[in-house]
C-alpha cells in the first residue's frame, strides 16, 4: 500500500525517524489459534518457522514472507503460563465484543467464572480428535488440566521458538548463529523496568529518546483462577511437552 515499505517488515509511518541499526518487530509464528482442533494447533518446526516469516499489510488481507536475511537478532518474550492462558481468554472476549457477539459475552464473563466456563467447553470440544492425535500417554497428561490445549500450545510455542532460532538444534531458520535475548513479561513492572529497558535497548543498540509507555501491573491470575492442584498438573504438562531449555528458562523466573 502507499506509504508502506515495499518489502516486509512493513513500515507504516515512513516519515518518522527510524533506528539506525535494528527495528523491533513481532511475530506469533504458528500454533496460537483458539477454539480450533488439534490438527491446527499442533505444528512441526518447519511449518512454525515458515509462519514466523509472515508479514501482513495494514489492510489485513495480504501476507507476504519476510526474508530471514533481514533478521539479525531475536528477542524471546516469556510470560507466566497461567497469566498467559487468562490473557488469551481476554483476547477472545475482545474479539466477541468487536464482532458484536453479545450472547457469548453473557456466557463468558470477564472473571474466573467466565474463564472456567470457557475452559470447560473447549476441553470437551475435541476430545476424540485429541485422544487419537496425542495417544494415551500424552492424553492422560492433558485431560485433567483446565484449558489443556492452551497450555500445550504454550509449551509447544516456546519450544518451537527456541528450536528455530538456535543454531545447534538442526531446525534453525537462519544460515548463521543469531544473537538472542530472553526477557520476561513481568520484568516490565516498575521495580525492574529501567534495568529491563536498558538490557533490551543495549541488545538492540537503540538510543533512549523518550519516556516509556505506561505498563499496567497487577495482571496476575494464577492463584485466583487456578487451584494448587491444577497448577501442579499444568506445570507437569508443560515440563512434559516443552524442551529442556524452555523448562529451565521458566524455572529461572517462576517459582513452582
Amino acid at each position: 500500500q502507499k506509504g508502506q515499505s515495499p518489502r516486509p517488515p512493513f513500515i507504516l509511518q515512513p516519515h518518522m525517524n527510524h533506528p539506525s541499526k535494528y527495528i523491533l518487530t513481532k511475530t506469533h509464528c504458528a500454533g496460537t489459534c483458539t477454539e480450533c482442533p488439534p490438527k491446527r494447533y499442533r505444528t512441526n518446526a518447519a511449518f512454525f518457522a515458515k509462519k514466523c516469516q509472515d508479514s501482513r499489510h495494514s489492510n489485513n488481507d495480504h501476507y507476504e514472507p519476510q526474508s530471514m536475511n533481514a533478521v539479525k537478532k531475536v528477542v524471546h518474550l516469556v510470560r507466566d503460563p497461567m497469566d498467559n492462558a487468562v490473557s488469551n481468554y481476554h483476547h477472545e472476549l475482545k474479539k466477541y465484543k468487536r464482532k458484536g457477539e453479545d450472547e457469548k459475552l453473557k456466557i463468558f464473563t470477564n472473571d474466573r467464572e467466565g474463564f472456567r466456563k470457557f475452559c470447560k467447553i473447549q476441553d470437551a470440544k475435541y476430545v476424540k480428535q485429541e485422544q487419537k492425535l496425542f495417544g494415551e500417554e500424552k492424553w492422560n497428561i492433558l485431560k485433567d488440566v483446565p484449558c489443556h490445549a492452551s497450555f500445550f500450545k504454550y509449551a509447544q510455542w516456546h519450544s518451537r521458538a527456541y528450536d528455530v532460532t538456535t543454531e545447534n538444534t538442526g531446525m534453525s531458520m537462519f544460515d548463521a548463529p543469531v544473537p538472542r535475548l530472553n526477557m520476561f513479561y513481568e520484568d516490565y513492572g516498575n521495580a525492574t523496568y529501567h534495568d529491563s529497558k536498558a538490557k533490551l535497548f543495549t541488545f538492540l543498540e537503540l538510543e533512549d529518546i523518550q519516556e516509556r509507555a505506561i505498563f499496567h501491573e497487577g495482571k496476575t491470575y494464577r492463584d485466583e483462577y487456578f487451584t494448587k492442584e491444577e497448577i501442579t498438573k499444568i506445570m507437569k504438562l508443560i515440563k512434559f511437552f516443552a524442551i529442556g531449555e524452555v523448562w529451565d528458562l521458566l524455572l529461572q523466573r517462576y517459582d513452582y
Side-chain angles (χ1 to χ4, degrees), residues 10 36 75 100 103 140 156 162 166 187 217 230-231:
F10 298 111
C36 57
V75 178
E103 291 303 313
N140 286 335
Q156 175 185 250
Y162 183 90
T166 305
D187 289 342
E217 291 189 273
E230 287 171 342
I231 293 173

Side-chain angles (χ1 to χ4, degrees), residues 147-244:
C147 274
H148 60 258
S150 180
F151 292 106
F152 169 81
K153 286 180 277 189
Y154 179 96
Q156 175 185 250
W157 195 95
H158 287 289
S159 298
R160 293 281 183 253
Y162 183 90
D163 285 339
V164 303
T165 58
T166 305
E167 181 185 22
N168 60 4
T169 62
M171 293 175 273
S172 177
M173 56 186 175
F174 303 111
D175 295 331
V178 175
R180 64 184 295 117
L181 174 66
N182 296 321
M183 295 197 71
F184 297 97
Y185 173 91
E186 294 78 9
D187 289 342
Y188 287 116
N190 288 328
T192 53
Y193 169 76
H194 290 292
D195 289 342
S196 298
K197 184 180 75 169
K199 181 168 67 174
L200 178 62
F201 277 37
T202 297
F203 181 72
L204 298 176
E205 300 178 41
L206 292 175
E207 181 184 358
D208 187 356
I209 60 174
Q210 68 180 47
E211 290 300 314
R212 64 170 172 144
I214 297 174
F215 179 81
H216 298 284
E217 291 189 273
K219 295 182 179 180
T220 58
Y221 309 98
R222 187 203 321 180
D223 297 330
E224 180 184 355
Y225 280 61
F226 303 92
T227 67
K228 290 183 179 180
E229 182 182 3
E230 287 171 342
I231 293 173
T232 299
K233 291 180 178 180
I234 289 168
M235 298 315 294
K236 179 182 178 181
L237 183 159
I238 292 174
K239 184 177 182 180
F240 182 87
F241 286 105
I243 61 174

